[in-house]
Amino acid sequence: MNYPLYIANRLSLATGNKKKAPAVTVAIVAVALSVAVMLASIAIVLGFKQEIRNKVVGFNAHITLYVSPTTSDEDNLITMIPSLEKVLDGVPFITDYSLQAAIPAILKTNSDFKGVYLKGLSGELTTNFIGSNLVEGELVDFSDPENKNKVIISGNAARQLKLKCGDKIDTYFISDDVRVRRLEIVGIYNSHFDQYDEVMIYGSLPLVQQLGGIQENQGTYMQIMTDNFDNIAENSLRLQQILNEQIADGTLFRLYRVDNVLNQGMGFFNWLQLLDTNVVVVLVLMMIVGAITLVSGMLILIIDKKRFIGLMKAMGAPTSKVRKIFIYLAIRIALIGLIIGNLVMLSLIYLQDKTHFLPLDAESYYIDFVPVSISWFAVATLNIGVVIIMYFVLILPSRFVAGISPAETMRYE
């Protein structure tokens, strides 16, 4: 029989009376709060990373492919030729690619105007992203010729120009000459990314190509999606190398330039890295708070059970065995707090993920709710780490048992 554990279980029954309950209760609550705060910190940061990354990728894709003119006579349009398609289809990490085209435009009402870029809504990535951020109206099929003169504008543009779904607005396109189209607003989106929302509206790709004087198989750039976001930097370099090799072999005849979302959204990703630092600070502080409270509770239990310790020693129990009793008892308290903290916070995280009941200032954080994401690997790692750290932290205060003399404690009441 494991006597230290058995005695600890029996001894724990004695900690429930009114005299001893506060120390145990405070220790349990402190551990539960510490674990809950640590879980919340991890879930919120993971949620922020996921939401911000999805928004930046939604506007830019993983990798962007441009044409780099080598002479002043060459244009900067990218053409979807069979040889380029064959190269892209042969790259193992590319999962999807699509031509994109954007053209500067001016939205004009009777009393105001606004400069924007009209981007052809094409490709599954951009279409799904705009659809998920649609706050009014509907996402029409812009490949349908009947929807050629329809657009989706941002909430910022709608508010500034006092527009709503169903309104028609004169749109001026300036290239070699001025062209005017009367476009119907069929949807309003709001991504809370003002630097994009201020300038981007979406419409038919054929309309953009027509107004820009470019062919059906041409665009201003190409969006490329890959199979792993974490390998974007390496994949970008690899794709550039593959394209350069194909140019050297004579398969391709234009010089291409590869960019990626990490460069295009550098400010956002740098901000997310700062959040990682904040999480580390929170984890360390909460671990310290929980450990100190648990150690304090253990010391109170040792002092409270001073006579019991002396009696055990007088009966021949080794000091190491007595120390293990209190370590097991403190671990038991920590586990109770651990379970309570997990149950409470994981329930709140689940509710927040489903209902978004906690709002957020979108102007400051780019999101109008507190984003959360549960990583079961992170949850398991956190709980295992807490148990291990608590065990080693409790070894030091348990040494106070060695200084308790059986002779003195027999007279202690």
Side-chain angles (χ1 to χ4, degrees):
M1 179 181 293
N2 190 334
Y3 286 102
L5 182 58
Y6 170 76
I7 296 174
N9 289 332
R10 301 299 299 172
L11 185 60
S12 65
L13 299 176
T15 61
N17 59 51
K18 296 181 180 180
K19 181 179 179 181
K20 303 173 182 65
V24 176
T25 302
V26 169
I28 292 174
V29 171
V31 173
L33 286 176
S34 299
V35 171
V37 171
M38 288 189 285
L39 284 174
S41 302
I42 294 174
I44 291 173
V45 167
L46 290 177
F48 261 111
K49 284 187 172 183
Q50 180 176 314
E51 290 292 331
I52 298 298
R53 186 182 75 180
N54 290 343
K55 289 179 183 290
V56 177
V57 170
F59 283 112
N60 299 284
H62 287 173
I63 297 176
T64 307
L65 188 62
Y66 301 95
V67 166
S68 296
T70 55
T71 65
S72 58
D73 296 332
E74 287 186 340
D75 56 42
N76 60 351
L77 300 176
I78 186 168
T79 304
M80 185 68 80
I81 55 178
S83 56
L84 178 58
E85 286 188 79
K86 184 177 180 180
V87 171
L88 296 178
D89 290 336
V91 178
F93 55 79
I94 293 180
T95 59
D96 185 43
Y97 58 88
S98 60
L99 275 177
Q100 302 292 320
I103 186 173
I106 298 176
L107 302 178
K108 179 71 171 64
T109 65
N110 293 332
S111 58
D112 206 351
F113 66 92
K114 180 178 179 61
V116 296
Y117 278 92
L118 173 61
K119 179 179 179 180
L121 193 59
S122 65
E124 184 178 356
L125 165 69
T126 307
T127 301
N128 291 341
F129 173 71
I130 296 301
S132 66
N133 286 278
L134 208 63
V135 295
E136 188 177 340
E138 61 178 346
L139 183 65
V140 300
D141 181 10
F142 285 106
S143 62
D144 188 341
E146 292 184 0
N147 298 322
K148 189 174 181 179
N149 291 321
K150 296 179 179 180
V151 292
I152 295 175
I153 67 173
S154 69
N156 289 1
R159 182 173 57 256
Q160 293 168 15
L161 299 177
K162 298 180 176 60
L163 298 171
K164 63 182 182 301
C165 285
D167 289 347
K168 294 185 178 181
I169 184 170
D170 293 329
T171 309
Y172 295 80
F173 302 92
I174 303 174
S175 51
D176 295 336
D177 55 357
V178 179
R179 301 182 182 184
V180 183
R181 290 291 186 277
R182 192 164 183 80
L183 304 178
E184 180 185 354
I185 299 172
V186 294
I188 298 175
Y189 78 93
N190 187 4
S191 72
H192 302 295
F193 268 34
D194 288 344
Q195 50 269 62
Y196 292 104
D197 290 357
E198 284 287 345
V199 297
M200 299 301 299
I201 66 173
Y202 294 87
S204 169
L205 179 61
L207 174 63
V208 176
Q209 291 171 328
Q210 178 186 346
L211 294 170
I214 60 179
Q215 300 177 14
E216 185 178 347
N217 65 336
Q218 290 183 322
T220 51
Y221 61 95
M222 185 180 294
Q223 286 185 342
I224 299 174
M225 294 298 292
T226 66
D227 58 0
N228 192 336
F229 181 87
D230 296 330
N231 295 334
I232 284 180
E234 295 82 356
N235 290 339
S236 298
L237 294 175
R238 178 58 183 156
L239 179 58
Q240 184 71 74
Q241 181 182 1
I242 292 173
L243 293 172
N244 291 341
E245 291 173 353
Q246 296 300 316
I247 293 172
D249 293 342
T251 304
L252 300 176
F253 303 96
R254 299 293 301 271
L255 185 62
Y256 296 96
R257 177 173 62 87
V258 175
D259 199 2
N260 61 56
V261 69
L262 300 180
N263 297 327
Q264 295 162 337
M266 184 178 298
F268 296 108
F269 293 113
N270 288 339
W271 175 57
L272 293 177
Q273 288 181 351
L274 293 177
L275 293 181
D276 288 340
T277 303
N278 294 339
V279 169
V280 172
V281 173
V282 170
L283 293 179
V284 172
L285 290 177
M286 289 300 99
M287 190 67 72
I288 292 174
V289 170
I292 290 176
T293 308
L294 194 59
V295 168
S296 301
M298 183 178 184
L299 291 175
I300 292 174
L301 288 176
I302 291 174
I303 294 173
D304 187 64
K305 295 298 179 180
K306 191 173 182 180
R307 185 177 182 183
F308 168 80
I309 296 171
L311 180 61
M312 293 293 294
K313 286 187 173 184
M315 294 174 62
T319 300
S320 60
K321 295 289 186 181
V322 180
R323 288 176 59 188
K324 285 183 178 179
I325 293 173
F326 286 92
I327 291 177
Y328 288 145
L329 186 58
I331 288 294
R332 183 191 184 103
I333 294 171
L335 289 176
I336 295 174
L338 197 68
I339 293 172
I340 294 174
N342 275 273
L343 290 176
V344 172
M345 186 49 61
L346 289 177
S347 299
L348 290 175
I349 290 173
Y350 177 80
L351 288 175
Q352 176 63 16
D353 184 47
K354 296 300 181 182
T355 64
H356 300 166
F357 67 91
L358 291 178
L360 207 58
D361 182 11
E363 293 185 2
S364 301
Y365 297 98
Y366 310 107
I367 306 172
D368 58 359
F369 63 92
V370 177
V372 292
S373 178
I374 298 177
S375 168
W376 295 113
F377 175 78
V379 172
T381 302
L382 175 65
N383 282 275
I384 294 172
V386 168
V387 173
I388 293 174
I389 291 174
M390 291 300 181
Y391 176 80
F392 285 104
V393 165
L394 292 171
I395 291 178
L396 181 61
S398 69
R399 294 178 64 87
F400 283 92
V401 173
I404 297 177
S405 170
E408 294 180 1
T409 55
M410 296 303 291
R411 299 190 300 270
Y412 176 76
E413 293 183 354

